[in-house]
Each structure stands twice: as structure tokens, then as C-alpha cells.
Amino acid sequence: MELIRQKLNVDFEVIRSSNWEEVLDKARNREVDLLPAAAQTPDRAKYMLFSDHHLVFPGVIITTTRNKDLNNTKKLYYKKVGIVSGYVWHEFIRNDHPEIEIIQTENVIDGLRRVSTDEIDAFIVTLPIALYYIEQEGIHNLIVSGETEYKTRLSILTRKDWPILNTIIVKALEEIPDQKKKEIIQKWITIKPASIFANKTFRIIALSLLIGTVLLVLLIIIWNLSLKKQVRIKTGELQQDITRRKAVEKALAASEEKYKLLIENQVDLLVKVDSEGRFLFVSPSYCNTFGKSEDELLGEKFIPLVHSEDQNNTIAAMQKLSQPPYTCYLEQRAKTLKGWRWLAWIDKAIVDEQGKIQEIIGVGRDITERKQAQEELGRLKDDLEIQVAEKTRELQVRISELERFHDATIERELRMNELQREIKRLKEEKSSDQSREKNENTDS
């Protein structure tokens, strides 16, 4: 800006603001005429004109070492991510990654302090600005864990209703040699630690310390003699502690290796999802089954992988996870590399003290062969029932015939008995008539 001022022979009045949002408000309200270094965005194009960009920086992700795995924008899904209010990163992330929870900070220092104290998970900011303030503030627990896919291209912005000013600024910027621009960037952007010995205050303090040090050395020698015995004792104790710690670390490493070996060679499918059904963890066996990588699955919902006819049953079964004992069993079809397969799942919900689901752990197994066997058994059972029904009908027909034969036989016997009784009666009547005739003849 000083070079441009000299070329144009004009004076610039610097208007200072407390934060970037106030800067943009002043630009919108025509309270400032020019912004020396700002990104080009569709929103700013409504009220400002741009020169060609003269600075290009990546947007980096600042985290603590504990969150160093948050090294790209997809890893930031469902995390609290700080962005300075009004910065260009806010517009990029809001439009392209709505899954990220944006926490607006007042300025860069505010954002760095929040991520340092774990108030937020990460902070997105321009690289040189981040490094400068990390060094200035002495925040030593922060690292650059990765870069976003975005870069900020900084231009000189001028008010839109003054197009001639924009033309003048563009021309003045073009007349600055590239080598001069590089020298400016190296001077102001590259972070170089200043030599402490060039500081006058340091030299005065160093001289005072030198005099005091002579006295302190004498006291330290005397003090060290009295501490040697205690040091030997503490050294022995420390060695014992180190031995125990190494043993614990060795056992822990072995345990981690066994856990890793178990997970990598687990035949059953193992997943962890949040309360909305988004993947938080997938085992290698799950990735192999569906032919997808871990990066492709993490942050995505599992329900699209389920057969449409089984989705409602799956959701209904998982609703049981919100009540004790916070477990459920379900069977569903899923589209795998081998086509549609039946999977059986045992799900367990991890809840907080208020009973709210924090995450769900699921263990699945392919039961397609068992399902096919059950279906075959069902078909055999149906065939057997049909055969039994047919045999039953045949038997009933035969029983009906036997019953008719039996009834006919009984009826014949009844008729024979009646006939025999009739014959006997006739015989008795005949005998009686003969006796009576004989008696009559005798009397005669």
C-alpha cells in the first residue's frame, strides 16, 4: 500500500475496526473506500470491485495434538469448528459442508484460544495468520493438522460505485515488479524468530542475572551437596517406577496389538453409528463386504444400504434401543459385493446419565445360507402338508366306503335276524295248528 501511495501521490487514511465483521459493514455502508487484502466472494461482489489477487494462502485446520486426526474437511463432520465471523472460510464451509457445526469467533486470537482449551474441536484460518498468532500468543499445544480444499486469494477491494478507483488501483498494482512483491511477502509473511540478543532490555537483564548468578552458583553448590543423598534415593525409586511403567507400556502395546489383530481379522461385521445412524467406525470386514473404503463410509448413514422393504422394520427395531436394556435384534437384506444378502444384527446403545443415546455398537453376521435353508425347509414342509392332505382325503374316502359297507352288512344281518324270527314264528304257528287239529280229531 505504501508503494501504491507513492505511485499515485495520494494519502490513505487508515480506518481501524475491532473485528472483521465491522470492516465488512463499513465497506457495505461506504464508510471505507478500499480494503488492502480481502478474498473475492459472491457476497462482497455486490458492493466491492476486485483487483487480481496478489496473495494466495491455503485454509488450514488448527487443532490440539489430541485431535491431530482431524486433517481434512470430511473429518470435521459433526465437530465444533471455529471460523472468524465474516471470513471467507465461513461461506465456503457453510455452502459445501453443512454437516460441520460452525462456531463463529470474534477474531483469530479468540479462535486459537478456544481450540487450545478444547472449547471447540478445530479452527479454520489462513496459514500465515495462524502461525503468526500462535507464535505471538505462545500457544504451544496447537498444531496445523491439515489443509482444507480451499485457498483464499486476496485482492485489493474498492467500492463498486467508484469503478475508476478500481482501474487506478489495478494499474498501480500491476506496475509493482514481481521481485518486489516477493521481497514484501518474505518480509511480512515469512515468520522469522528475532534474535533476543538484539534486545536492549535483554542485555540489561542479562548483566543483572550474570552478577546474581555468581552468588547463586555458590548457593547451588552447597544445596547440591545436601541433595545428592536424596537424589540417589529418588533415583532408585524413579528407576523402579520406570521399570514398572515400561512393563505397563509393554503390556498395553501387546494389548493394542491383539485388539488391532482381532478387529482386522474379525469375520463378523462390526460398526459404530451415532443416534442418527451415521457411521463413526467400520471394521475391515464391513468394508470388504460392501466394497467400500473407510473414508467413503464414515459420516454417511447406513440405512441406504438396506433393502427398501426392510428399512421400516430396521428403524422400528432400533427404536427399542432408547429403552432398557438398550439392545435389539434385527434381520435385514443389504446390497453387498455378492448382491443382496441377509444380515442379522445385535445392536447395543451406549447412553449417558440422562439415558440419551450417544452411540450404537452393532455386530452383524451373514445369515443368507440359514435363511435359504429355512426357506427350503418351509417349501418341504408345504409339500409334505400337501401330500398329507391328499393322503388324508384318500383315507377319508376309504373310511367312508368301509362305513357304507359296514352299514350295509349290519342292515343285512338285521334283516336275516328278522327273517329267522319270522320263520320261527311261522313254524311255531304251524306246530300249534297241527296240535290243535290232532286234539280235535281225537275228540271226534
Side-chain angles (χ1 to χ4, degrees), residues 12 19 69 95 134 186 197-198 214 245 264-265 268-269 296 320 324 327 350 388 403 408-409 426:
F12 293 117
N19 55 59
D69 59 324
N95 293 336
I134 288 174
Q186 290 176 353
F197 296 103
V214 175
R245 188 187 69 183
E264 291 179 349
N265 294 277
D268 288 342
L269 312 180
E296 289 178 304
K320 299 178 182 178
T327 60
I350 308 300
V388 169
E403 287 177 347
T409 301
L426 291 174

Side-chain angles (χ1 to χ4, degrees), residues 90-349:
H90 187 285
E91 189 171 341
F92 289 152
I93 298 300
R94 181 191 61 197
N95 293 336
D96 297 343
H97 300 281
E99 297 87 353
I100 296 176
E101 182 182 353
I102 298 177
I103 305 298
Q104 297 191 35
T105 65
E106 185 176 352
N107 49 50
V108 175
I109 295 176
D110 177 39
L112 293 175
R113 287 174 178 171
R114 287 195 187 189
V115 75
S116 174
T117 57
D118 290 328
E119 185 178 342
I120 56 178
D121 299 301
F123 183 55
I124 295 178
V125 67
T126 307
L127 176 60
I129 297 177
L131 297 178
Y132 174 79
Y133 281 111
I134 288 174
E135 180 179 300
Q136 288 293 104
E137 296 296 313
I139 307 176
H140 302 299
N141 67 329
L142 298 183
I143 61 170
V144 178
S145 63
E147 291 187 8
T148 68
E149 63 268 38
Y150 308 110
K151 294 183 183 296
T152 178
R153 292 169 172 80
L154 303 182
S155 305
I156 298 177
L157 276 61
T158 57
R159 51 190 292 176
K160 195 168 185 176
D161 58 337
W162 288 0
I164 296 178
L165 175 61
N166 175 258
T167 303
I168 294 172
I169 292 296
V170 169
K171 186 175 181 180
L173 187 61
E174 289 175 349
E175 291 179 356
I176 300 175
D178 291 339
Q179 182 59 35
K180 187 63 178 179
K181 292 178 181 178
K182 291 180 181 178
E183 292 175 2
I184 294 173
I185 291 175
Q186 290 176 353
K187 176 181 179 181
W188 294 104
I189 301 302
T190 305
I191 297 176
K192 298 179 180 179
S195 174
I196 192 171
F197 296 103
N199 189 292
K200 181 179 179 181
T201 303
F202 171 78
R203 293 197 297 269
I204 296 173
I205 295 174
L207 181 60
S208 301
L209 289 175
L210 180 62
I211 297 172
T213 300
V214 175
L215 298 175
L216 283 174
V217 167
L218 297 175
L219 293 174
I220 290 172
I221 292 173
I222 298 171
W223 179 256
N224 283 342
L225 291 175
S226 65
L227 290 178
K228 281 185 178 180
K229 184 178 180 180
Q230 296 183 28
V231 168
R232 286 195 296 270
I233 297 173
K234 293 295 182 182
T235 300
E237 294 176 353
L238 181 59
Q239 288 176 345
Q240 293 177 358
D241 290 340
I242 292 174
T243 301
R244 286 194 295 268
R245 188 187 69 183
K246 287 183 177 180
V248 171
E249 290 177 349
K250 184 177 180 181
L252 180 60
S255 177
E256 290 178 349
E257 187 64 28
K258 289 180 181 177
Y259 173 76
K260 181 180 179 181
L261 185 64
L262 176 64
I263 292 298
E264 291 179 349
N265 294 277
Q266 175 67 266
V267 177
D268 288 342
L269 312 180
L270 182 62
V271 299
K272 182 167 67 173
V273 301
D274 62 15
S275 58
E276 300 297 326
R278 291 181 288 258
F279 288 112
L280 301 175
F281 168 81
V282 287
S283 65
S285 58
Y286 190 93
C287 295
N288 294 335
T289 298
F290 288 90
K292 294 180 179 292
S293 66
E294 183 180 2
D295 288 339
E296 289 178 304
L297 292 170
L298 293 182
E300 302 294 333
K301 291 189 176 183
F302 76 87
I303 200 68
L305 300 175
V306 180
H307 196 288
S308 58
E309 295 179 1
D310 298 333
Q311 290 182 4
N312 290 337
N313 292 337
T314 297
I315 294 172
M318 293 188 68
Q319 288 177 349
K320 299 178 182 178
L321 295 173
S322 60
Q323 300 176 353
Y326 306 109
T327 60
C328 74
Y329 173 83
L330 58 94
E331 296 179 358
Q332 60 183 212
R333 286 165 290 179
K335 188 61 178 268
T336 70
L337 282 178
K338 297 180 181 179
W340 290 106
R341 305 285 292 179
W342 276 101
L343 303 178
W345 290 94
I346 298 177
D347 293 341
K348 172 68 177 178

